[in-house]
Amino acid sequence: MKSDTHEYFMLLALAEAERALDAGEFPVGCVIVDRDRVVATGRRINSAGVPNELDHAEIVALRALPAAGSEADRGRLIVYTTMEPCLMCFSTLILNGIRTIVYGYEDVMGGGTNVPLRDMNPLYAAMEITVIPNVLRRKSLELFTTFFSSPDNRYWRNSLLANYTLMQKR
């Protein structure tokens, strides 16, 4: 797939992330694409107040997939997300048959895409996953910088991820 196609769909994921940010949520957005058509979307919810760590953008999008009526071969779906999926989301995506993941900004604190699947138990060891990082990274970084710079947002404040993100803009 061409890089401009990846950028197009990442812009849609960024729009989801902007909606999350506008709602005071952690700015992660996700779109799931089948043959150049968006079949599901999601954005981070329930990160404000007492966070619910189950409502990540990728999980929300996966939950929306059956409701969208998509009967697509999961192996050909492509997930676009503004932040590298955490270990929970990465494993959930691949257990749901997703084999291509495209992300914008690296999660230095909890990113899961560098897990050596071939060293794991047979279920995971046989999986061949394509991960494409850094698509529109700067635009994703801008959203996370805005989030971590706001005194209203307490989610992961003073964490490795927050400090790393804020240092990127210097």
Side-chain angles (χ1 to χ4, degrees):
M1 188 168 281
K2 297 185 293 189
S3 66
D4 58 339
T5 302
H6 289 319
E7 289 179 1
Y8 172 79
F9 289 112
M10 186 59 73
L11 285 170
L12 298 178
L14 284 160
E16 289 293 321
E18 288 171 4
R19 286 194 266 294
L21 184 63
D22 290 346
E25 301 284 353
F26 194 54
V28 180
C30 177
V31 298
I32 301 176
V33 174
D34 180 24
R35 297 183 188 176
D36 291 333
R37 192 175 117 257
V38 173
V39 293
T41 63
R43 62 182 168 268
R44 181 67 163 99
I45 57 174
N46 297 319
S47 63
V50 178
N52 173 338
E53 290 302 340
L54 295 175
D55 295 326
H56 290 200
E58 300 88 345
I59 304 299
V60 171
L62 277 173
R63 286 181 178 148
L65 194 56
S70 177
E71 305 265 338
D73 170 7
R74 298 276 176 109
R76 80 171 176 243
L77 297 179
I78 302 173
V79 168
Y80 292 85
T81 184
T82 56
M83 177 171 269
E84 176 185 7
C86 69
L87 188 57
M88 174 186 71
C89 291
F90 182 60
S91 61
T92 301
L93 290 168
I94 65 176
L95 284 173
N96 277 277
I98 308 297
R99 296 296 177 259
T100 304
I101 299 167
V102 180
Y103 70 83
Y105 184 60
E106 66 275 11
D107 183 350
V108 297
M109 186 171 74
T113 64
N114 64 349
V115 171
L117 295 176
R118 69 186 167 282
D119 295 339
M120 297 185 74
N121 290 329
L123 175 65
Y124 300 98
M127 293 183 180
E128 292 186 27
I129 309 299
T130 300
V131 176
I132 302 168
N134 303 322
V135 174
L136 298 180
R137 180 186 182 275
R138 183 170 304 282
K139 290 185 180 296
S140 290
L141 172 60
E142 289 171 7
L143 290 175
F144 292 108
T145 299
T146 298
F147 179 84
F148 286 125
S149 296
S150 172
D152 296 333
N153 298 318
R154 302 198 188 299
Y155 186 70
W156 292 119
R157 179 176 288 180
N158 296 321
S159 66
L160 171 64
L161 179 60
N163 294 334
Y164 174 82
T165 299
L166 294 172
M167 294 285 290
Q168 298 295 302
K169 289 304 264 189
R170 291 185 182 174

